[in-house]
Amino acid sequence: MYAITIPEPGGPEALVWAEVPDPVPGEGEVLVEVAAAAVNRADVLQRQGFYNPPPGASPYPGLECSGRIAALGPGVSGWSVGDEVCALLSGGGYAEKVAVPSGQLLPVPDGVDLARAAALPEVVCTVWSNVFMVSHLRPGETLLVHGGASGIGTMAIQLGKAIGARVAVTAGGPDKLARCSELGADILVDYREQDFVDEVLKATDGVGADVILDIMGAKYLERNVRALAVNGRLAVIGLQGGAKGELNLGALLTKRAAVTATSLRGRPAAEKAAIVAAVREHVWPLIADGRVRPVVDRTLPLSDAAEGHRVLEASTHVGKVLLTA
């Protein structure tokens, strides 16, 4: 088969379309013939040499894909050759075939075509696990989403609204904020022109956000704590603004607030399977009835993954960038 390889870390040109051995599904795994994969920030970090795959994972980038089951490994039940699926991966999505633990498979939801389904697994599992399973967002609460126009952001807006929360977003510029508004965002903050703490506190009559989903890390840490409501929960899922920041524990104590930080890729298979099962139970019906949908900015050939990385790094997109095999 062919796959996107990374012979040496570097810029987008470091991604090389090359012939590699076919994967073989092991115990509890299935072999998926890839129809499409999605581009994620983690793929960019891997290309740059900063985020290696966990032990035993495919060396090729790609944390989510869609396709058809081509073969079943030993011990697999509940799936059949030919089933259309999408999958949460530890790596290997930028390839013509990938071996996936069966617990990380999802059926393609009703109303979503096979290619667009590749835009779902990583973002839905990330948002559902952090905003709902860890931070316990409830109806009537306020959710602040940083990077509202990103793949994660566009999904978080929709899921927050679907459960009856009020959603605030930060994004760069009026065009991206307009797209966030179309998805249901109630409070729109242009981070280039406005202070999100001031805007969120003003919009909530000084209460603040009950849950904050943060991709920035250190750069936003102090301001995120100021923007939290009493009993607020800050979920850090990215470090685009740095890894080391100063946390005022006194401010956190006063608000009886919590800070969590998680990543999805390196979790044990059993934890990923539990998240995938929760997503299938709670989110797939929302997609089937049209209340939640994948947001896709553009689709490129898998062999042109370098261009997908350039788009992501330029931050000109809204939603997901897909690569089709």
Side-chain angles (χ1 to χ4, degrees), residues 84-276:
E84 293 191 343
V85 296
C86 52
L88 178 68
L89 309 173
S90 297
Y94 290 19
E96 292 178 326
K97 298 175 184 176
V98 63
V100 187
S102 61
Q104 292 165 218
L105 290 176
L106 288 155
V108 172
D110 292 342
V112 178
D113 66 48
L114 182 60
R116 292 176 71 88
L120 291 169
E122 173 74 11
V123 293
V124 177
C125 288
T126 296
V127 173
W128 190 261
S129 61
N130 283 280
V131 174
F132 299 94
M133 297 175 73
V134 174
S135 299
H136 303 291
L137 181 69
R138 294 181 288 268
E141 290 190 324
T142 297
L143 168 66
L144 169 59
V145 179
H146 290 302
S150 67
I152 292 286
T154 54
M155 182 54 62
I157 293 167
Q158 295 179 81
L159 288 177
K161 295 302 295 182
I163 68 100
R166 189 182 189 193
V167 179
V169 298
T170 62
D175 292 342
K176 286 189 174 182
L177 288 173
R179 296 291 300 277
C180 293
S181 178
E182 291 170 5
L183 293 169
D186 305 286
I187 303 165
L188 308 173
V189 182
D190 186 340
Y191 68 80
R192 296 172 180 167
E193 306 289 340
Q194 299 169 292
D195 185 300
F196 72 81
V197 180
D198 292 342
E199 297 303 318
V200 169
L201 290 176
K202 181 167 62 178
T204 59
D205 296 324
V207 173
D210 300 285
V211 175
I212 300 177
L213 186 64
D214 176 56
I215 58 171
M216 295 302 295
K219 183 177 180 180
Y220 278 11
L221 181 58
E222 184 270 336
R223 282 189 287 165
N224 276 331
V225 172
R226 285 198 284 126
L228 278 176
V230 172
N231 295 315
R233 291 85 74 196
L234 167 61
V236 180
I237 61 168
L239 302 173
Q240 293 180 37
K244 294 183 179 180
E246 186 171 302
L247 177 62
N248 184 338
L249 292 175
L252 209 62
L253 279 169
T254 300
K255 293 190 173 185
R256 302 187 297 280
V259 178
T260 60
T262 72
S263 65
L264 188 57
R265 186 181 197 180
R267 292 191 186 211
E271 290 187 17
K272 290 182 182 177
I275 293 169
V276 167

